Structure formats: structure tokens, C-alpha cells
Amino acid sequence: MSVPCPPHPPHHSAPQRRSLWLLVVGALALIIVLVAAVAVIAVRSGSPSATASCADVEFIGAAGSGQRDSDPSSGITEIADSGVGGIVEDTYQNLAVDLPEGTDINLRTVEYPATAVPVKPTVDNWTAFMDSVSTGASEAEQLIRTTTEECGDSKIVVAGFSQGAMAVHRALRAIGPDARITAVVLIGDGDKVPYDNVETIPEYGTDARQGIAQVALHHGIDSGAVDDVLPMEWKSRIISPCMSGDVVCAPNSFELLRLTAHVSYDANDWRRQLLSKVGS
């Protein structure tokens, strides 16, 4: 009686073995992608790990008038300087370099029109400009509130230039003093109030000056500005650089010889002041 031989294991050719290997690798890759997707969904849905995306320092920047313009006709469609304008970008970069080793920093942009100052002073043009300031204030307030809620363990830094400084100034008035906001820089602020509860750059010599929106307010024009000083709690946290001759933050100090003062700021002028507030 013959005994049946056990069946031979199936023989796979080299191409078949390669296909099986690729199938296994593909399946593993798919599992990794799915796990990652679940993790991302969990973070976005507000799980306890949501704060993992927050840096040690969250830096919020608001650009000045015309600094968010792009020029499609020249082929340039991206907004320069991370959308926050050159001087705010410089302030951010300085801080990023100066922070203690191992401290990470993240830049968040106030997304608003930052409409350029009208060349033709028509009612429609000025209305559009003031609407841009209002939108900036609203967007800055929302972004600051969102960041402080999402990143409770982070140091929050806010900076704005010109129209962006006005937007941040108004946002801070709406929010009120908040210990989670570590430092603020208001550069060339059109809402500047004389002898406000802020730190200044002594050599600029403009503590007694008022911004252009304050001048307009005192001439009966509704500029959206408020002429009250900021609460005392802000004094140790807000830096307000305003150069003599700046037509936006100190128009009554304007001199023809300093026509470019408003666009001549150097972020190194408040570099140490800002680091002293954030770096410890």
C-alpha cells in the first residue's frame, strides 16, 4: 500500500516573492498613515495633547499699511516677511536668536487687509482704510484670545507696526490686562497716547507725543481711537517705540529733514528690552 507524500509547500517565483514583500510593506505604510491621521484628528478635536503643537514662545505679528500687498503683475503672489511686515519680522527673528538654547518659538500672523494709506484722500478710500484698521483689531483680538486659550503654558508675545500697532493696541484694550501676555511691541503706533502706561525708547524723546488717530479724534473725527491711557498692569509688558519725526505716532514732531522716520526703525533698538521680558 502506497503512502501519500505530504504536499509540498507552494513554490513562489522571485517576482511573486517581490510582490508579496511590497504588499506587506504597503500594508505597514498604510497602518502608519492611519495611526498618524488618528493622532492629528485627536489633536484638532481638542484632546489634552492639543497643546503639544504650542511652542515655548508664541509670537503674534501684525503688519503695517500696505505690507501685506502682493503684486501678481510681477509674478509675485506671496506675501513677504511671513505676512507680518519687515520690522515685525526683524523683531521676531531677533528674539528667536536671543532666546535661551532649547527654547522654541512660533510665529502667528494676524490675517487682515493692512490696506495701504490712500494716495487720493476720498471718503471711500479713507473709509476702506479705517475699515482695515477695525478688521485688524478684531482679527488681532481673536488670534490673541485663541492663542492664550490653546497655549496656556506658552509665553505670548504680540507685535505690530503702524496700522498693525493700532490694531494690536485696540485689541489689548478689548482684552484687558492678561498675565499670559508676556510682552507687546507697538512700533510707530497711530493710537499712541501721551505718557501712556508703556515703556518707551528714551532716546526717541516722544513720550509726550500723540498718534495721528488721537490728533484726528481731538479734531472731532471718529478715528476709532480712545484717548485714555492703558491700565497700569500693562506698563512693564508693553514697549512703544516712536521715533521723533514719525508722521504716524508723533505727527506734531514732523520735520521735513526726517521725512522717512516712520520707515527707519531698527529692531535692535528694543531688542534687549524685549528679551528681558521674555527670555527669563
Side-chain angles (χ1 to χ4, degrees), residues 231-246:
M232 180 60 75
E233 292 92 332
W234 283 120
K235 188 172 180 64
S236 63
R237 283 177 274 168
I238 297 178
I239 307 168
S240 180
C242 176
M243 191 177 291
S244 179
D246 186 326

Side-chain angles (χ1 to χ4, degrees), residues 3-265:
V3 178
C5 295
H8 292 286
H11 174 72
H12 297 296
S13 63
Q16 287 176 316
R17 287 197 299 272
R18 190 179 304 111
S19 297
L20 287 171
W21 173 246
L22 290 174
L23 183 61
V24 172
V25 171
L28 289 173
L30 179 60
I31 291 171
I32 291 172
V33 170
L34 289 174
V35 170
V38 169
V40 170
I41 291 171
V43 169
R44 290 180 177 175
S45 64
S47 68
S49 62
T51 55
S53 62
C54 296
D56 297 319
V57 178
E58 289 289 331
F59 189 108
I60 297 171
S65 303
Q67 291 188 325
R68 290 179 55 81
D69 291 347
S70 56
D71 185 8
S73 63
S74 66
I76 300 174
T77 56
E78 293 185 358
I79 300 173
D81 302 311
S82 305
V84 299
I87 191 63
V88 173
E89 170 80 359
D90 289 348
T91 301
Y92 165 76
Q93 293 293 348
N94 281 351
L95 184 59
V97 169
D98 296 341
L99 285 170
E101 185 176 353
T103 305
D104 58 347
I105 183 170
N106 178 53
L107 176 61
R108 300 187 181 209
T109 303
V110 177
E111 302 288 350
Y112 84 113
T115 301
V117 176
V119 176
K120 296 180 179 180
T122 65
V123 173
D124 288 344
N125 285 346
W126 279 109
T127 299
F129 179 79
M130 295 312 299
D131 284 348
S132 175
V133 179
S134 297
T135 300
S138 177
E139 292 297 324
E141 179 186 348
Q142 180 62 41
L143 183 56
I144 293 169
R145 290 187 186 278
T146 298
T147 304
T148 53
E149 290 171 5
E150 290 180 351
C151 304
D153 296 329
S154 301
K155 294 181 178 180
I156 311 298
V157 179
V158 191
F161 168 63
S162 191
Q163 184 183 158
M166 296 167 68
V168 171
H169 192 142
R170 297 179 190 194
L172 295 179
R173 284 194 181 279
I175 294 169
D178 188 326
R180 293 170 295 183
I181 301 173
T182 304
V184 178
V185 187
L186 303 175
I187 311 158
D189 179 14
D191 274 14
K192 181 181 181 301
V193 174
Y195 302 111
D196 204 352
N197 288 318
V198 297
E199 291 184 7
T200 59
I201 310 296
E203 53 267 35
Y204 284 178
T206 56
D207 289 12
R209 306 295 186 180
Q210 60 183 347
I212 194 167
Q214 301 294 347
V215 173
L217 183 67
H218 294 155
H219 282 81
I221 300 171
D222 183 7
S223 62
V226 176
D227 59 1
D228 296 332
V229 296
L230 289 163
M232 180 60 75
E233 292 92 332
W234 283 120
K235 188 172 180 64
S236 63
R237 283 177 274 168
I238 297 178
I239 307 168
S240 180
C242 176
M243 191 177 291
S244 179
D246 186 326
V247 297
V248 175
C249 64
N252 50 358
S253 69
F254 175 72
E255 302 171 14
L256 286 176
L257 294 177
R258 305 202 67 184
L259 188 62
T260 60
H262 187 61
V263 292
S264 298
Y265 286 98

